[in-house]
């Protein structure tokens, strides 16, 4: 029986496997490094865009604030008070524009149309919030306007007085424009028609 023995000092080894594993590990590391660099650059680009947008927005806000300050400087003290009062009126949810328009519509005759409403002042008298308005209406019938003013003064909601009138002409017709000073006192829970029908009950609110 013949037995073959490997009597070499260095036994046989597969030297390709370690190099292959090292190459695979290097490839994985290089890919992870490239991905990290790409993600970092993308993050920096997005950060730059956000910073530019923030700076632009801050610049626009500063410009708007400066413009607002310049506008306020040009206003007279009376106009500034009116502006503050108007802002308070809009901000106060208890004072309803829709209710004002509904109440106003109920006292306007068919031949009279409202063309402009501007807030002059807002104040509280007793426990009721009131607004001083400048109301401009147009009509071809002076009697209808006077009837409207009478109806407003009898409603318990409006107090109106005629301040001026101007003749307006167009290519096809002419009409009168009337300016009124109006104190609007909404009765809580009542519209103008309700107040007109039950003035004592409404005034007790």
């Amino acid at each position: 029986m013949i037995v073959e023995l490997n009597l070499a000092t260095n036994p046989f080894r597969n030297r390709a496997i370690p190099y292959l594993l090292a190459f695979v590990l290097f490839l994985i590391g290089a890919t992870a490094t490239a991905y990290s660099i790409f993600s970092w650059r993308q993050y920096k680009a997005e950060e730059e865009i956000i910073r530019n947008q923030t700076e632009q927005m801050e610049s626009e806000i500063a410009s708007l604030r400066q413009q607002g300050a310049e506008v306020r400087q040009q206003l007279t003290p009376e106009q500034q008070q009116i502006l503050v009062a108007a802002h308070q009126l809009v901000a106060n949810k208890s004072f309803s524009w829709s209710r004002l328009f509904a109440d106003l519509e109920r006292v306007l005759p068919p031949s009279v149309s409202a063309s402009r409403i501007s807030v002059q002042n807002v104040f509280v008298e007793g426990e009721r919030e009131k607004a001083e308005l400048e109301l401009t209406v147009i009509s071809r019938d002076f009697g209808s306007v006077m009837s409207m003013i009478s109806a407003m003064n009898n409603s318990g909601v409006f107090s109106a007085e005629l301040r001026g009138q101007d003749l307006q002409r167009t290519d096809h017709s002419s009409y009168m424009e009337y300016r009124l000073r109006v104190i609007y006192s909404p009765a809580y829970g009542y519209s103008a028609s309700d107040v007109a029908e039950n003035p004592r009950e409404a005034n007790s609110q």
Side-chain angles (χ1 to χ4, degrees), residues 87-159:
H87 288 171
Q88 292 176 348
L89 177 61
V90 173
N92 194 334
K93 295 181 180 180
S94 66
F95 202 104
S96 172
W97 277 101
S98 59
R99 184 173 186 175
L100 167 62
F101 296 143
D103 287 340
L104 188 61
E105 183 178 0
R106 290 185 176 93
V107 297
L108 285 177
S111 59
V112 179
S113 301
S115 61
R116 185 175 66 252
I117 302 175
S118 61
V119 180
Q120 302 298 310
N121 190 19
V122 179
F123 58 96
V124 176
E125 188 175 276
E127 296 182 354
R128 295 181 64 179
E129 185 178 28
K130 300 185 178 183
E132 180 182 358
L133 311 174
E134 182 177 288
L135 172 65
T136 302
V137 298
I138 56 177
S139 177
R140 294 186 177 88
D141 184 6
F142 178 75
S144 296
V145 175
M146 298 308 297
S147 297
M148 179 198 70
I149 294 176
S150 178
M152 294 176 74
N153 291 331
N154 292 330
S155 68
V157 178
F158 296 102
S159 175

